[in-house]
Amino acid sequence: MPTTLLQVELRQLRYFVTVAEELNFGRAAERLRIAGPSLSQQIKALERDLKVQLFDRDRRSVALTPAGAALVADARALIDQADALRRRATGLAVSDPVRIGCVNWCPTDWAERAAGVAQLRVDTWVMPSHTQAARVADGALDLAICWVQNDDLEELSLQASLLGVDRLAALCPGTDESPVSAKDVVVLVDTDTASWSSWNRYAERFAADTGARVMRTDDGGVTGPTFFEHVRRLGRPVLINPRGQHDQEPRGLVRRPVVGPTPLWTWSLVWRAGEDRPAVRAVIDEFTRDTGPLGVADPDTWLPAEDPHRGGGQRGQ
């Protein structure tokens, strides 16, 4: 595109494109709602700025010159880009912020990715997955990043797309970092279902499918210092909850990969079915673009049968 085309007024480009479409100055002036002489003067000014003749015209006809014909597509593209920019700016100015919540995992660049499409308000209440999903359903949030299953989506009328995956490891006393079989792992289930409903469902299904041992606790020992105490007392590999996957293990405890199969914990972006707010849809599109399957279809991995992403599928796409 000639650099001079970027220096002219957008208004003059609109005039040029309209005349090119009508090939009649009178009709073009009427369509643009300006006087004929003004339109003619603006086209002449544009031709001076571009240093090319755009139209061959006489009293009977108007035709594009070769230069004019070559520039119509560029001019139309610039107008379309300007209109799109104006629509986006108007949407950002008048739309309410998109409210999003999470549990303990989120994309590290989510603020930058959302900045170009909508105002993002990150909720400061970090709550369990089942609570965040319910808050989306009741309208307290527009989006949430959490763990959900197909029955959650149906019950709450939500849709989901895969955003992230944790490959769960086990913690064990000693120095042996070799892989441990899933059937030899202990999973902790907490009696506090208000806090650990999602984890309890996951852990019990994993144990039922693999033969792992379930141990129930009522001391909040699913994560944190009490969890480390349980690992030392049991003397066996204990599956690490997603909230503790990135914690530094204390001295004397070692992290071991779980195999045969490897348990995967999925993080979904969830939203209300039928969501039609342009800003919310824009954030969904931006966050889920080019995500990929993230290993959920890899052999020798495990997901609950009701996981919406089992086999690499997407729910709500």
Side-chain angles (χ1 to χ4, degrees):
M1 182 186 304
T3 55
T4 50
L5 188 54
L6 298 176
Q7 300 168 359
V8 302
E9 293 184 20
L10 183 65
R11 173 173 54 97
Q12 291 176 331
L13 293 182
R14 292 187 189 278
Y15 293 170
F16 164 50
V17 169
T18 304
V19 175
E21 291 173 347
E22 295 290 346
L23 293 179
N24 182 290
F25 273 78
R27 289 197 301 270
E30 183 178 351
R31 181 172 149 189
L32 291 165
R33 298 183 180 180
I34 64 172
S38 284
L39 176 60
S40 182
Q41 290 173 5
Q42 290 297 324
I43 293 297
K44 290 179 181 178
L46 179 60
E47 289 175 325
R48 284 197 305 271
D49 289 339
L50 296 179
K51 297 181 175 58
V52 295
Q53 184 177 343
L54 300 173
F55 297 99
D56 285 323
R57 50 195 181 272
D58 55 31
R59 292 183 179 180
R60 294 185 177 181
S61 65
V62 175
L64 283 163
T65 65
L71 292 177
V72 168
D74 289 334
R76 189 176 286 118
L78 282 173
I79 293 169
D80 290 343
Q81 291 172 21
D83 290 343
L85 177 63
R86 184 177 293 107
R87 288 193 298 270
R88 174 171 288 186
T90 301
L92 290 174
V94 302
S95 65
D96 293 330
V98 175
R99 302 159 299 170
I100 186 168
C102 65
V103 179
N104 66 292
W105 180 91
C106 64
T108 56
D109 62 345
W110 63 349
E112 293 83 355
R113 291 167 65 181
V117 296
Q119 299 179 62
L120 193 68
R121 179 180 295 166
V122 180
D123 192 83
T124 57
W125 289 10
V126 177
M127 296 184 174
S129 286
H130 64 283
T131 302
Q132 297 294 46
R135 295 178 71 206
V136 174
D138 66 21
L141 294 172
D142 300 305
L143 302 166
I145 299 172
C146 56
W147 182 85
V148 288
Q149 300 293 273
N150 286 328
D151 52 357
D152 301 315
L153 300 178
E154 297 203 4
E155 179 182 350
L156 298 173
S157 296
L158 299 176
Q159 293 181 299
S161 185
L162 183 65
L163 275 196
V165 170
D166 280 329
R167 302 175 82 88
L168 303 190
L171 200 63
C172 184
T175 59
D176 181 7
E177 298 182 5
S178 64
V180 58
S181 176
K183 64 182 177 58
D184 296 325
V185 168
V186 176
V187 289
L188 297 181
V189 172
D190 202 297
T191 57
D192 178 9
T193 57
S195 300
W196 299 107
S197 172
S198 297
W199 170 251
N200 288 352
R201 291 163 62 193
Y202 180 95
E204 289 176 344
R205 290 172 188 173
F206 175 73
D209 285 354
T210 65
R213 174 187 167 192
V214 173
M215 192 189 91
R216 303 188 184 278
T217 178
D218 59 2
D219 57 8
V222 175
T223 60
T226 308
F227 172 72
F228 301 141
E229 293 175 10
H230 284 309
V231 174
R232 291 190 178 96
R233 180 174 57 81
L234 289 167
R236 297 179 57 185
V238 182
L239 195 65
I240 304 173
N241 182 282
R243 288 195 185 181
Q245 284 297 313
H246 305 289
D247 293 345
Q248 179 63 45
E249 55 268 20
R251 182 176 299 178
L253 299 180
V254 65
R255 188 180 298 253
R256 298 176 64 180
V258 178
V259 297
T262 298
L264 303 183
W265 177 278
T266 56
W267 293 109
S268 296
L269 181 69
V270 301
W271 63 92
R272 289 178 291 279
E275 176 62 66
D276 59 1
R277 278 184 58 198
V280 177
R281 297 299 315 185
V283 173
I284 293 169
D285 291 344
E286 185 63 32
F287 277 22
T288 58
R289 177 166 44 86
D290 302 326
T291 299
L294 298 176
V296 294
D298 290 352
D300 200 37
T301 58
W302 180 88
L303 288 171
E306 284 296 305
D307 193 287
H309 314 299
R310 185 180 173 97
Q314 301 282 312
R315 178 66 180 268
Q317 294 300 296

